[in-house]
Amino acid sequence: MNSTLESVIHQASSIVLGKERVIKLSLACLLAKGHLLIEDVPGVGKTTLAHALAHLLGLEYRRLQFTSDLLPADVIGVSIFDRNSGEFRFHRGPVFSQVLLADEINRATPKAQSALLEAMEERQVSLEGTTHPLPEPFFVIATQNPGFQIGTYPLPESQLDRFLMRVDIGFPDRQAERALLKGEDRRKLLSRMTPVMTPARLSEAQRLAGSIHASDAIYDYCQSLLAYTRSSDRFYHGLSPRAGVGLLNAARAWALIGGRDMVLPEDIQAVLPSVAAHRLQGGTDAETGGESLVRHLIKSVPLP
Amino acid sequence: MRLDLNKYLRLVCPQADGALVVSARSIYILPTGFGLVYAVLLLLLLIGSINYANNLGFLLTFFLTALGLIAMVHTWRNLVGLRLRCGRPDPVFSGRTASFPFYIEATGSRLRPDIELLYSHIAIDACDAGPGQENRLNLTLTLSKRGRFVLDRCVVRSRYPLALFRAWTYVQPEVQCLVYPRPLSWTPQALVSAEADPGNGMARRDVSGTDYHGLREYRPGDPLKTIHWKSYAKGQELMALEFETPTASDLWLSWDAVPGPDMESRLGQLCHAVLDAAAGNLRFGLRLPGKTLPADDSPHHVDDCLRALALFGLES
Amino acid sequence: MSANPRKIPLLDPLQRPLQRYQELRFLVFFGMAASPHLFILDEVFSWTFFALLIYRVIAVFHSRLLPSRPLLLVLTLAFLILFFFRVERILGAQGGISLLLVMAGLKLLEIRRRRDLYFSVLLGFFTVITVFLHEDSPPVALLMLAAVIGMISILVESSRIAGPACRLFDLRQAAILSLQALPIALVLFLLFPRLNAPLWSFNLGEKTARTGLSDSITPGSISQLVLSSEVAFRVLFDGPIPPPRERYWRGPVLWRTDGLNWTRSPQMMAPAQEVPMGLRVADYRIFLQPSENPWLILLDLPASAPDGSVLSRDFQVLTQTPVSALRRYQARSFTSFSPLGIDPMQQRLGLQLPSNVTPRMRALVAGWRSGAASPAQIVQKALVHFNQQPFVYSLRPPLLGNSPIDEFLFETRRGFCEHYATSFTLLMRLAGIPSRLVTGYQGGELNPQGDYLLVRQSDAHAWSEVWLPDRGWVRVDPTGAVAPERIERPLDIDAALGEGESALFVIEGSGLFRAFGRNIRWGLDALNLSWQRWIIGYDQSRQRDFLSHMGLGWVDQRLLSALAFGLAGIVFLILFAYLRRQGRERPDPLAKAYGRFCRRLAGIGISREGHEGPLDFERRVLSKRPDLAPEVAPIIGSYVGLAYGRSSPEGIDRLVKRIDAFWPRRRS
């Protein structure tokens, strides 16, 4: 299994150059059965990353560009009146895919956003009284532009909590950018690649990640971290229990990727910024961003 | 001249991770009134035993003496190593009760009964802290002055097991609570000064709004319930009902618009207005001398406005 | 910037009302503590107290039954008045205790809040010590122990905030506290200096009638005693235990008689001038039960008087004050000795005759005198007379009139040891042989479980001593002539009663059952003896014995109190250290070893941050000191596996060894 995962990472980083850590985090997110939010300025390869992951994992992939006039029906599907038969037929929306890339999710109205997020949470769609289960596996990789631009609807905190991780890609370093400039078009490169995994292999990897051993010391450490965010003045409100569960699952997946059969504090610390930063807000005084808050959190809570 | 004894006190201050850990050296211990009466009883028993040369009396006297000593150790041990963590209190309006939650963590495997929390010599809350349960003490204080209330020294006390001794320790949690002005209701005739922002009177039309606007041609994806079946029955094209969501003009709450007369009552009146506006889901802004908060309707915005009112004139 | 907060106070725990089970629990324990007073105090007061207690128990379920304060005041006054009317009948401290108990009963009616409970518990402790002033048997002590632990559990319970997490929690805590308090209590008990004289004299009103010997004899007085199985004293012999025929325990010696009553002679109570030479010596310790009599009992013949007593001229051992508490003494006796002389005073007293001597008696004696060459032969003839004439040994002799000895000798001929001893003594005086009557005990039950002799009141006995010119004072037991088995073995009441007459303490059943019952009795009694040796009878001399046994004989009283408190302090500190360790979380050996490892690395300038994980730390260490890799890498590797993987004890041991051997050096 390890070699398979390594090969996924290796191949993905040949597409998204110089971003191995981001790829690993994204992969860990998927192995922990979580949805991923990628936040960065346009053009750094958000879509490519999502595309590459879906392709290499052998998953069916659809892309949905979110706009301000997007309706919930555009996401989850619609019942269309069939003139010939005289009845309504349910047409599945793009959400019925194994990987949905929701591009620029913060451009859509809260209504459309919440339609997607409900589907993410329940892994099914209810429309006109009937329930349509979503395929398994089902991932949403959403991207959003940072900053509060005009005409955007930033995701409310309650919705952000449904994404296991939020990563930012960042600009490539000099060497990687050079290779990017020299190299072929990424899309073409991607289309030539063969999938490394199958959905069956993926669910096996997920199962494996879930069985990674976490000792009492790790549980203690997790709880101390959560307790600190809940009691310290620096944070507007503490991390939710869901965030705690997600943190541990993500750390397990990270340990699996690292080739270990147990969770180490380093694993927690590695995934903590991605898991916690988008859920944390500065307290009453400090208007600090999520990342610096997480750094403060890691430094403040000693290992058990 | 008063001697400041406070600087000689051994305080328990938060550690790096914010926990207040009661160390052995920071514990004070003295007998209670009951303990003194107990000592008098021991003396009586001893005199009686000596006088009647009664060995069972001696045994009882010495047993109770030893018991008192052991109880002292247990009282001390009930506090030592206790880990407290003071949670964040929610902001309150002046005159209301703020609740500072204290969580007792890592009590070890044994029960630590009778942990009391005192604030300026008055016991506020008490609990029996034990493993495997939420051990929470609530320090509830009624705060009357607007601004930032910084929690002073608290006392954590225990008299377990025999109430012969009381052990206590001073803890200094670094926690504060924001106190908003007390909302003062006022006749909002002056709200007419709420200015309309030009160009903000547009409405969004949609099938999902609230106010009926008209019919338009059916577009794929429109929900079934919005289809105007009547017209379809008449053999016309499929039509969908269209609704509109009114976008109200921004409301401006301004320092000059409230009647006053003094600063505190103006702040109170503005506070009331902010709450009213938030309750009505209005988009509003706040104008204070030297500070303006632009119009918004997010929940954060209400908090920001209230904080600005709470700290007005107190902090730069 | 601080605002003025208004506090919202908690209800003071002491003011909290009580719950039903708390009240019941307390009443049960208080009742336990006070229950022995039912048998001690004046019944008016003890029954008043228990009536109040039972009323209070009922009031637990019907709280409106609790009296109001004015009513309580009236009740208090009423009891005070009753007390002053009644107090004359009650002696000494009992009055005070009665008053205390009744007031405690009234206090019970007042218990509503925790505060009341606290002070009532103190009252309970006080009640316990008032019980101890009168009762010191092990069962009562056990009952009191249970009551005290119960009351401690009430204090524990009251100091908690929440209700009962587990019903037994408080009792368990109370038991733990008591166990921890025990070592200190024992040290203080053993070493706290004991005084010989009380601080002040205060009559306890102890003068209750006790069964036992008295300083005079009338026919029938000992047969009363024989029905009592109460213990008179216990004897521990240092050497071999003398055979039954030598087990005569000497008590008062009676000289003067009016023909009915025998009494002691004041002249003979002066200190002895000559002591015979001992041929065979027995050393032993006696634990004498309180007798309220001013003498001690020793094996015949006392060689010297124990401390605090005097050996009289007729070899009684007399004390200044009556023996009102258990008394323990070391004694020495001669079971065989050189002839004892007689002085003129003894000669005169030993021949004193009452006025009711009848001609029949004189004729009987004259008959013996004529046919005898020496006084010894007269004695022999008298014994033969008792043996061959139809004399019957009986616990229920017929009533005798004004001239009892005459009636007994010639008419009824049924009697008990005092009949034989008194008549024999009188007959010897008629024959001109000086004689005296000795009372005491004879025999004793050997307790194999404690290897000591147990002498009961039923072993009370009377015998004669006659003075023979060549042999001195000689013990003669005429009862032995009639019923020799009475001397050879302990009196078996069943047999002695005969004729189907009932006795008060017959053990029913077969011989096997009887042996079993006797074994249990012996076991209990052995326990009782150790209780009396170590707890009740632990007085100054016993304390000195203990000290010299521990090699501390040189410690004087003042130093002893310092020693007591010093040693108690040391024991306290040991307990304190133990409790402190127990309170702390046991540090995990793995974490301890890893801490050591980190400290050693910090010693060479690489200190681990609090939040730094092991792998990160390893990386940082190796980037600074790549030369340490061969040692650090395996340590971290196995630490990670043990701390975060599945740990094994052997793995931990190996890692601890590896870390112990790790001593990094600073780079020069």
Side-chain angles (χ1 to χ4, degrees):
Chain A
M1 187 50 71
N2 241 328
S3 59
T4 322
L5 292 177
E6 259 167 38
S7 133
V8 170
I9 294 161
H10 178 74
Q11 301 221 27
S13 48
S14 70
I15 309 242
V16 187
L17 292 166
K19 292 292 164 203
E20 198 176 309
R21 189 180 169 79
V22 177
I23 292 164
K24 276 187 181 174
L25 278 172
S26 312
L27 184 63
C29 179
L30 301 188
L31 288 178
K33 300 189 188 179
H35 304 294
L36 179 66
L37 179 66
I38 305 176
E39 181 179 284
D40 220 324
V41 291
V44 289
K46 298 191 290 270
T47 316
T48 318
L49 172 63
H51 204 154
L53 276 178
H55 183 76
L56 289 169
L57 295 176
L59 298 176
E60 177 205 342
Y61 161 88
R62 284 169 86 171
R63 177 182 167 165
L64 182 63
Q65 181 69 41
F66 275 49
T67 53
S68 59
D69 58 354
L70 191 79
L71 294 174
D74 299 333
V75 180
I76 59 178
V78 64
S79 291
I80 289 178
F81 186 69
D82 186 344
R83 299 234 170 162
N84 303 329
S85 64
E87 57 187 26
F88 285 87
R89 283 225 322 264
F90 180 65
H91 283 242
R92 295 174 165 214
V95 81
F96 288 88
S97 60
Q98 289 172 322
V99 175
L100 174 71
L101 175 63
D103 237 346
E104 302 199 63
I105 192 167
N106 54 347
R107 288 214 174 271
T109 57
K111 261 202 168 96
Q113 289 173 355
S114 64
L116 173 65
L117 292 159
E118 274 166 41
M120 280 163 58
E121 186 60 23
E122 287 153 26
R123 294 185 183 263
Q124 63 183 26
V125 167
S126 296
L127 196 82
E128 318 286 350
T130 43
T131 303
H132 308 276
L134 294 178
E136 186 68 33
F138 169 68
F139 296 116
V140 173
I141 301 177
T143 69
Q144 76 172 359
N145 293 325
F148 297 98
Q149 298 169 347
I150 298 201
T152 59
Y153 299 87
L155 290 174
E157 287 133 38
S158 61
Q159 312 276 35
L160 278 175
D161 202 31
R162 297 191 180 165
F163 288 100
L164 176 60
M165 283 195 192
R166 187 189 68 182
V167 296
D168 41 15
I169 295 182
F171 295 114
D173 59 19
R174 208 176 158 79
Q175 196 187 350
E177 189 143 26
R178 185 64 154 270
L180 190 72
L181 293 171
K182 273 183 170 171
E184 265 187 274
D185 180 21
R186 300 289 117 186
R187 310 250 159 127
K188 269 187 197 155
L189 214 58
L190 189 60
S191 60
R192 284 212 302 273
M193 274 185 179
T194 50
V196 180
M197 289 179 95
T198 58
R201 288 284 280 168
L202 180 65
S203 68
E204 196 197 329
Q206 285 175 338
R207 197 185 48 71
L208 215 59
S211 68
I212 295 278
H213 175 72
S215 63
D216 281 340
I218 285 297
Y219 288 117
D220 282 346
Y221 184 48
C222 258
Q223 283 189 296
S224 301
L225 287 170
L226 296 179
Y228 185 71
T229 63
R230 287 168 197 167
S231 68
S232 167
D233 235 11
R234 293 243 189 172
F235 303 94
Y236 188 73
H237 50 62
L239 287 174
S240 64
R242 173 159 48 185
V245 173
L247 176 63
L248 201 61
N249 286 341
R252 283 194 164 111
W254 186 261
L256 178 69
I257 292 172
R260 279 184 301 275
D261 58 355
M262 63 212 166
V263 183
L264 298 190
E266 281 90 340
D267 298 323
I268 301 267
Q269 289 170 0
V271 296
L272 190 62
S274 312
V275 173
H278 62 291
R279 303 172 206 251
L280 288 176
Q281 286 180 344
T284 45
D285 293 336
E287 293 284 338
T288 42
E291 277 76 15
S292 69
L293 283 174
V294 172
R295 270 199 301 280
H296 166 74
L297 174 62
I298 292 178
K299 289 229 177 228
S300 304
V301 181
L303 293 181
Chain B
M1 206 180 92
R2 259 184 69 207
L3 187 64
D4 188 18
L5 287 171
N6 287 353
K7 63 184 169 198
Y8 299 108
L9 286 182
R10 294 196 188 129
L11 282 174
V12 175
C13 290
Q15 293 187 336
D17 62 347
L20 297 150
V21 179
V22 179
S23 66
R25 280 173 52 81
S26 64
I27 296 176
Y28 297 80
I29 187 161
L30 275 182
T32 57
F34 175 63
L36 293 177
V37 177
Y38 184 83
V40 171
L41 174 86
L42 288 181
L43 201 63
L44 282 178
L45 292 186
L46 183 66
I47 291 171
S49 305
I50 292 176
N51 192 45
Y52 294 125
N54 188 312
N55 270 336
L56 284 181
F58 274 122
L59 209 52
L60 177 72
T61 310
F62 296 141
F63 173 72
L64 291 180
T65 309
L67 189 76
L69 290 172
I70 291 293
M72 181 174 76
V73 180
H74 278 263
T75 309
W76 176 83
R77 200 173 75 127
N78 207 32
L79 281 189
V80 72
L82 198 70
R83 277 174 73 94
L84 286 164
R85 195 185 279 282
C86 184
R88 258 186 323 267
D90 289 328
V92 287
F93 294 101
S94 161
R96 294 295 179 82
T97 302
S99 168
F100 296 81
F102 280 78
Y103 300 92
I104 301 173
E105 294 179 345
T107 61
S109 54
R110 69 198 153 93
L111 195 65
R112 293 175 187 254
D114 187 35
I115 306 290
E116 284 181 277
L117 185 63
L118 289 86
Y119 193 74
S120 50
H121 310 296
I122 295 175
I124 308 282
D125 200 4
C127 78
D128 294 340
Q133 64 189 59
E134 193 199 31
N135 303 304
R136 178 184 167 141
L137 290 169
N138 269 327
L139 180 62
T140 44
L141 298 175
T142 302
L143 304 179
S144 55
K145 195 155 175 269
R146 166 183 78 85
R148 213 184 278 282
F149 172 76
V150 181
L151 193 64
D152 198 12
R153 202 171 64 219
C154 306
V155 170
V156 175
R157 182 177 77 177
S158 179
R159 286 179 290 200
Y160 181 82
L162 299 186
L164 297 175
F165 290 89
R166 60 165 184 269
W168 74 96
T169 183
Y170 297 101
V171 298
Q172 178 74 72
E174 281 168 10
V175 67
Q176 50 192 15
C177 178
L178 203 59
V179 185
Y180 298 147
R182 182 202 298 266
L184 290 176
S185 68
W186 52 296
T187 30
Q189 42 187 210
L191 256 188
V192 289
S193 72
E195 304 152 28
D197 235 4
N200 219 327
M202 278 162 57
R204 247 166 40 133
R205 289 191 198 109
D206 200 336
V207 287
S208 58
T210 46
D211 298 346
Y212 175 68
H213 179 255
L215 287 173
R216 64 158 166 75
E217 222 170 273
Y218 172 80
R219 295 180 203 151
D222 282 347
L224 288 182
K225 63 181 182 197
T226 61
I227 291 173
H228 193 240
W229 297 103
K230 266 186 195 164
S231 49
Y232 180 65
K234 286 178 196 158
Q236 295 172 357
E237 285 290 294
L238 260 181
M239 299 295 275
L241 299 172
E242 197 177 47
F243 300 88
E244 93 180 344
T245 313
T247 324
S249 57
D250 289 351
L251 183 69
W252 279 98
L253 307 173
S254 165
W255 175 264
D256 304 318
V258 287
D262 55 0
M263 182 171 91
E264 289 303 320
S265 41
R266 279 189 181 200
L267 290 170
Q269 287 150 358
L270 279 175
C271 180
H272 191 264
V274 166
L275 294 176
D276 268 356
N281 276 328
L282 296 177
R283 203 176 145 84
F284 66 94
L286 180 65
R287 273 201 200 113
L288 294 174
K291 183 158 188 173
T292 300
L293 287 106
D296 198 347
D297 59 357
S298 67
H300 269 306
H301 181 60
V302 180
D303 291 345
D304 289 345
C305 291
L306 291 175
R307 184 185 313 138
L309 291 173
L311 300 179
F312 178 74
L314 297 178
E315 288 172 13
S316 52
Chain C
M1 196 53 52
S2 106
N4 307 323
R6 207 174 72 230
K7 276 79 66 180
I8 299 171
L10 183 77
L11 181 61
D12 182 359
L14 288 183
Q15 295 297 345
R16 268 176 290 175
L18 289 172
Q19 268 153 354
R20 213 171 255 182
Y21 73 91
Q22 290 175 313
E23 293 182 3
L24 274 179
R25 217 190 239 195
F26 174 71
L27 292 173
V28 165
F29 291 127
F30 200 94
M32 268 166 84
S35 57
H37 278 314
L38 267 179
F39 309 102
I40 297 170
L41 289 188
D42 185 68
E43 63 274 13
V44 171
F45 292 102
S46 55
W47 285 111
T48 305
F49 170 77
F50 279 96
L52 287 170
L53 184 74
I54 290 166
Y55 182 82
R56 185 63 183 82
V57 170
I58 296 168
V60 168
F61 300 99
H62 307 278
S63 55
R64 69 202 148 77
L65 287 179
L66 287 178
S68 60
R69 262 170 199 278
L71 185 60
L72 260 177
L73 201 67
V74 171
L75 274 174
T76 311
L77 280 175
F79 280 116
L80 277 177
I81 291 166
L82 175 74
F83 177 75
F84 282 113
F85 273 107
R86 186 92 192 161
V87 74
E88 284 168 21
R89 298 179 176 213
I90 313 166
L91 290 158
Q94 281 214 347
I97 294 171
S98 308
L99 186 64
L100 179 89
L101 201 64
V102 172
M103 291 300 132
L106 289 172
K107 174 76 192 164
L108 290 183
L109 294 184
E110 229 188 4
I111 294 177
R112 283 154 202 268
R113 302 180 184 287
R114 288 196 182 191
R115 177 187 296 280
D116 306 323
L117 213 50
Y118 279 108
F119 291 96
S120 305
V121 165
L122 294 191
L123 208 55
F125 289 151
F126 203 83
T127 310
V128 169
I129 206 168
T130 61
V131 168
F132 284 156
L133 289 182
H134 296 92
E135 275 289 335
D136 53 17
S137 65
V140 169
L142 268 181
L143 183 72
M144 294 298 110
L145 179 68
V148 166
I149 290 181
M151 284 190 281
I152 295 167
S153 82
I154 283 169
L155 290 184
V156 175
E157 208 281 329
S158 306
S159 68
R160 287 196 293 118
I161 303 296
C166 156
R167 290 265 159 170
L168 285 179
F169 175 84
D170 306 305
L171 270 175
R172 210 174 54 225
Q173 288 297 310
I176 290 171
L177 285 172
S178 306
L179 264 182
Q180 289 168 350
L182 208 56
I184 301 175
L186 285 181
V187 166
L188 284 173
F189 178 78
L190 285 176
L191 297 184
F192 187 81
R194 299 299 201 279
L195 301 176
N196 254 354
L199 294 180
W200 63 86
S201 189
F202 191 62
N203 183 15
L204 261 181
E206 195 68 47
K207 207 79 184 176
T208 44
R210 291 197 190 253
T211 50
L213 292 178
S214 66
D215 56 356
S216 67
I217 268 195
T218 43
S221 57
I222 287 184
S223 56
Q224 290 295 316
L225 286 180
V226 163
L227 294 173
S228 161
S229 68
E230 252 181 57
V231 173
F233 55 93
R234 298 176 176 83
V235 195
L236 268 169
F237 281 93
D238 295 345
I241 299 179
R245 61 173 62 257
E246 287 179 7
R247 292 184 202 153
Y248 280 85
W249 307 95
R250 193 181 184 90
V253 179
L254 313 178
W255 296 85
R256 285 144 45 125
T257 177
D258 57 359
L260 185 71
N261 205 3
W262 291 73
T263 54
R264 297 193 285 178
S265 152
Q267 292 95 326
M268 285 296 125
M269 274 140 80
Q273 276 136 13
E274 65 150 334
V275 175
M277 205 165 69
L279 300 177
R280 263 185 296 137
V281 177
D283 283 306
Y284 51 92
R285 276 164 292 162
I286 287 194
F287 298 83
L288 182 67
Q289 291 295 118
S291 62
E292 301 298 340
N293 283 325
W295 60 75
L296 305 181
I297 306 286
L298 271 79
L299 187 67
D300 208 23
L301 182 84
S304 60
D307 288 346
S309 62
V310 176
L311 192 63
S312 73
R313 294 171 68 181
D314 51 3
F315 294 91
Q316 305 177 58
V317 180
L318 305 173
T319 55
Q320 288 287 329
T321 50
V323 178
S324 57
L326 181 102
R327 183 139 178 170
R328 175 195 158 278
Y329 46 92
Q330 177 79 38
R332 163 173 286 195
S333 293
F334 300 139
T335 50
S336 171
F337 47 90
S338 59
L340 267 175
I342 188 165
D343 58 36
M345 176 71 79
Q346 288 181 339
Q347 185 93 34
R348 195 168 57 78
L349 284 167
L351 290 172
Q352 184 251 332
L353 289 172
S355 56
N356 59 355
V357 178
T358 58
R360 289 200 273 189
M361 292 160 66
R362 290 187 191 277
L364 180 66
V365 174
W368 297 339
R369 282 181 81 165
S370 61
S374 67
Q377 283 182 352
I378 297 176
V379 171
Q380 196 55 42
K381 283 197 169 178
L383 289 178
V384 167
H385 175 81
F386 279 119
N387 186 248
Q388 292 181 348
Q389 296 298 311
F391 281 96
V392 175
Y393 183 80
S394 168
L395 276 178
R396 299 279 167 91
L399 284 173
L400 300 173
N402 275 338
S403 177
I405 294 178
D406 180 79
E407 283 173 50
F408 168 70
L409 280 175
F410 302 106
E411 285 159 29
T412 64
R413 294 186 173 176
R414 289 166 68 87
F416 196 57
C417 62
E418 77 242 43
H419 298 90
Y420 294 99
T422 50
S423 47
F424 179 81
T425 309
L426 193 61
L427 291 172
M428 287 303 107
R429 287 183 178 183
L430 281 172
I433 304 172
S435 57
R436 58 193 182 194
L437 186 65
V438 185
T439 59
Y441 300 86
Q442 196 275 317
E445 193 178 349
L446 178 68
N447 188 336
Q449 292 177 33
D451 207 21
Y452 62 91
L453 271 182
L454 173 67
V455 180
R456 298 179 186 277
Q457 295 295 356
S458 57
D459 294 320
H461 194 53
W463 61 92
S464 276
E465 277 179 349
V466 295
W467 189 81
L468 302 177
D470 46 345
R471 291 168 58 193
W473 284 103
V474 175
R475 180 172 65 219
V476 180
D477 190 351
T479 317
V482 183
E485 74 282 357
R486 172 71 179 78
I487 314 300
E488 287 295 331
R489 62 178 175 81
L491 177 66
D492 192 329
I493 299 297
D494 297 357
L497 281 172
E499 295 154 19
E501 288 175 64
S502 64
L504 295 175
F505 53 99
V506 179
I507 297 172
E508 302 281 347
S510 68
L512 187 70
F513 186 80
R514 213 150 84 187
F516 179 67
R518 184 166 287 176
N519 263 326
I520 290 185
R521 262 194 304 145
W522 280 337
L524 284 177
D525 199 79
L527 206 72
N528 215 345
L529 179 69
S530 351
W531 174 254
Q532 295 195 329
R533 285 174 75 183
W534 287 100
I535 308 288
I536 309 296
Y538 188 79
D539 56 6
Q540 194 179 33
S541 64
R542 179 102 194 110
Q543 187 174 41
R544 297 249 62 108
D545 283 358
F546 173 73
L547 284 174
S548 45
H549 191 72
M550 304 298 284
L552 293 168
W554 48 273
V555 175
D556 66 357
Q557 291 296 87
R558 198 174 306 161
L559 203 57
L560 187 59
S561 40
L563 186 71
F565 290 115
L567 204 58
I570 290 170
V571 174
F572 173 73
L573 287 179
I574 293 170
L575 276 168
F576 175 69
Y578 162 74
L579 284 175
R580 198 175 169 182
R581 267 174 68 100
Q582 196 197 32
R584 255 185 244 158
E585 293 299 293
R586 194 170 294 277
D588 157 35
L590 183 64
K592 244 165 73 185
Y594 186 60
R596 211 153 53 228
F597 170 73
C598 293
R599 274 196 301 282
R600 286 181 191 167
L601 281 171
I604 60 162
I606 313 170
S607 45
R608 190 177 75 90
E609 306 275 327
H611 65 274
E612 202 167 19
L615 295 185
D616 289 345
F617 185 47
E618 180 190 18
R619 212 166 297 132
R620 203 157 58 85
V621 170
L622 295 188
S623 71
K624 282 191 183 170
R625 292 287 301 272
D627 56 306
L628 291 179
E631 286 173 287
V632 170
I635 287 178
I636 296 264
S638 65
Y639 170 72
V640 163
L642 293 167
Y644 298 104
R646 288 171 179 85
S647 73
S648 69
E650 315 88 68
I652 292 177
D653 286 349
R654 231 174 301 135
L655 177 64
V656 168
K657 281 200 194 99
R658 202 174 258 172
I659 287 178
D660 285 342
F662 174 67
W663 287 102
R665 298 224 180 117
R666 257 173 212 285
R667 213 170 351 207
S668 50

